[in-house]
Amino acid sequence: MGRLAQTDGLTEIQRDILATVREFVDKEIIPVATELEHKDEYPAAIVEGMKQLGLFGLTIPEEYGGLGESLLTYALVVEEIARGWMSVSGIVNTHFIVAHMINAHGTREQKEYFLPRMAAGEIRGAFSMSEPGLGSDVAAISTKGVKDGEFYVLNGQKMWLTNGGTSTLVAVLCKTDEGGSTPYRNMTTFLIEKTPGFGPNPTVPGLTVPGKIEKMGYKGVDTTELVLQDVRVPADRILGGVPGRGFYQMMDGVEVGRVNVAARGCGVARRAFELGVAYAQQRTTFGKRIAEHQAIQFKLAEMATKVEAAHQMMVMAARRKDGGERNDLEAGMAKYLASEYCKEVVEDSFRIHGGYGFSKEYEIERLYREAPMLLIGEGTAEIQKMIVGRRLLEEYRIAE
């Protein structure tokens, strides 16, 4: 396994979980990932295997049928899965975010209804905040929910839903305009159950998932739009039962999501390093293996250092959240560092492979197309820097 990206202080249960997931990745994901990715085929057999392992309920409390594990355990599991194929980690990530939001903010009835079936993988979640004209500027949200008796009527268009077609539960952020003093207090999260599939939804009148968005990478997992035309949602499907809290609930979800994206970056970077260091010991030029050339050794040293630094930053951010502390500073740092380092490590491995790295027969070609998604997922590098900068000024503000 190598000595990179090891985590100190894990319990025996955590080590056993990671060993099981690592074996699953090596046997069930890596051998088929490139073929499925090139076909843009949903990894149904892999998903079924993850259900059997209980990964969809990894962080859901035991009282609701889950394993009750920490954010750190989840992040380390995601790192292992992304090492095999990043798209598979995306399938479980949005589900995890929605389960976290329901567990942290839902009513007792919502927890009892959703969480046991989410733990079993029977309900799979998707997370919907972005819109065609809205990325990081959440205050510009235009999808609207209007109260109509015991229901809300939703109209608008959402964008970039991971698992938009295959999910059966979507947490949707809408503008509700019910008297909040700021735009951020006029947003509400609605929990919408639906039938999986594309086109008009047969069980939710007015809800349409137009189809998969074609992407340069991150294939296999479906990324979609979501169109809502007079969709009626019962008021008891407001997350937490009270309107106006949606922005803060979503930001809590994004905060743990940033740790997840950092973990994905760590996993992809680690796989790129593994491929690069192996190829460097197989390829010969000028009468010796290229690993013996100082230029390649320097590159491997830089790659390994970045893999290790990103992993330790991600672990720190997860542990801080698990400890009940505010972690937006560390999560922003971890997401920024891991995604940028992932891009650089993948590119260096690509360079080590030379012309073969450009061939679809080699795994590094897939990683080279997947890494850019991490630069923009859960907030761009610029957004992370803005978050980190603001928090640093709070921490180090001088007396005036």
Side-chain angles (χ1 to χ4, degrees), residues 194-207:
K194 69 178 186 66
T195 303
F198 300 98
N201 199 271
T203 56
V204 185
L207 184 75

Side-chain angles (χ1 to χ4, degrees), residues 137-354:
D137 182 14
V138 184
I141 189 171
S142 61
T143 298
K144 195 162 187 178
V146 177
K147 197 170 192 314
D148 181 20
E150 297 300 313
F151 289 82
Y152 280 77
V153 180
L154 312 185
N155 282 279
Q157 183 179 4
K158 309 299 284 187
M159 193 71 175
W160 306 119
L161 277 77
T162 301
N163 299 320
T166 49
S167 61
T168 54
L169 172 66
V170 187
V172 183
L173 184 66
C174 297
K175 184 179 180 182
T176 45
D177 289 342
E178 292 189 284
S181 56
T182 71
Y184 302 105
R185 297 186 182 277
N186 282 294
M187 299 183 203
T188 300
T189 302
F190 293 91
L191 301 172
I192 303 177
E193 285 189 273
K194 69 178 186 66
T195 303
F198 300 98
N201 199 271
T203 56
V204 185
L207 184 75
T208 302
V209 179
K212 292 199 299 184
I213 298 170
E214 296 296 325
K215 310 176 297 259
M216 67 179 273
Y218 198 41
K219 295 177 181 290
V221 59
D222 48 294
T223 305
T224 74
E225 300 174 70
L226 183 73
V227 179
L228 304 106
Q229 296 180 311
D230 294 330
V231 174
R232 295 176 66 81
V233 180
D236 64 6
R237 289 302 169 87
I238 291 174
L239 179 60
V242 179
R245 298 177 180 174
F247 174 78
Y248 305 98
Q249 295 163 346
M250 285 276 173
M251 289 303 103
D252 182 33
V254 167
E255 195 171 280
V256 295
R258 285 182 177 136
V259 175
N260 173 277
V261 172
R264 284 199 256 180
C266 292
V268 173
R270 181 146 59 96
R271 184 59 179 165
F273 173 79
E274 291 171 355
L275 295 172
V277 75
Y279 184 82
Q281 295 173 79
Q282 296 162 2
R283 175 72 168 172
T284 13
T285 63
F286 304 104
K288 60 183 179 181
R289 295 174 180 172
I290 64 173
E292 297 175 30
H293 294 292
Q294 190 179 66
I296 299 299
Q297 291 178 5
F298 283 179
K299 201 174 288 293
L300 292 172
E302 291 171 0
M303 293 163 66
T305 302
K306 290 172 181 177
V307 167
E308 186 67 23
H311 173 84
Q312 299 303 337
M313 185 78 234
M314 176 270 291
V315 167
M316 183 181 71
R319 280 183 161 148
R320 188 169 291 270
K321 183 75 171 178
D322 284 334
E325 300 177 68
R326 181 177 176 179
N327 86 326
D328 52 345
L329 174 66
E330 291 77 14
M333 286 179 169
K335 192 276 172 184
Y336 166 61
L337 190 76
S339 58
E340 294 292 331
Y341 276 178
C342 175
K343 171 186 71 80
E344 294 169 11
V345 171
V346 167
E347 182 171 337
D348 280 342
S349 184
F350 177 85
R351 290 172 182 268
I352 288 172
H353 280 76

Side-chain angles (χ1 to χ4, degrees), residues 95-153:
H95 176 88
F96 158 73
I97 290 177
V98 176
H100 168 80
M101 290 169 59
I102 292 173
N103 187 50
H105 306 287
T107 63
R108 176 168 293 279
E109 291 75 18
Q110 289 168 350
K111 293 177 186 179
E112 291 174 349
Y113 179 80
F114 287 113
L115 292 181
R117 290 192 289 162
M118 294 185 81
E122 296 170 6
I123 290 180
R124 296 222 298 277
F127 174 86
S128 180
M129 185 168 64
S130 295
E131 298 181 0
L134 158 66
S136 302
D137 182 14
V138 184
I141 189 171
S142 61
T143 298
K144 195 162 187 178
V146 177
K147 197 170 192 314
D148 181 20
E150 297 300 313
F151 289 82
Y152 280 77
V153 180

Side-chain angles (χ1 to χ4, degrees), residues 55-68:
L55 297 187
F56 286 98
L58 188 62
T59 61
I60 292 174
E62 293 181 17
E63 65 181 296
Y64 299 115
L67 298 179

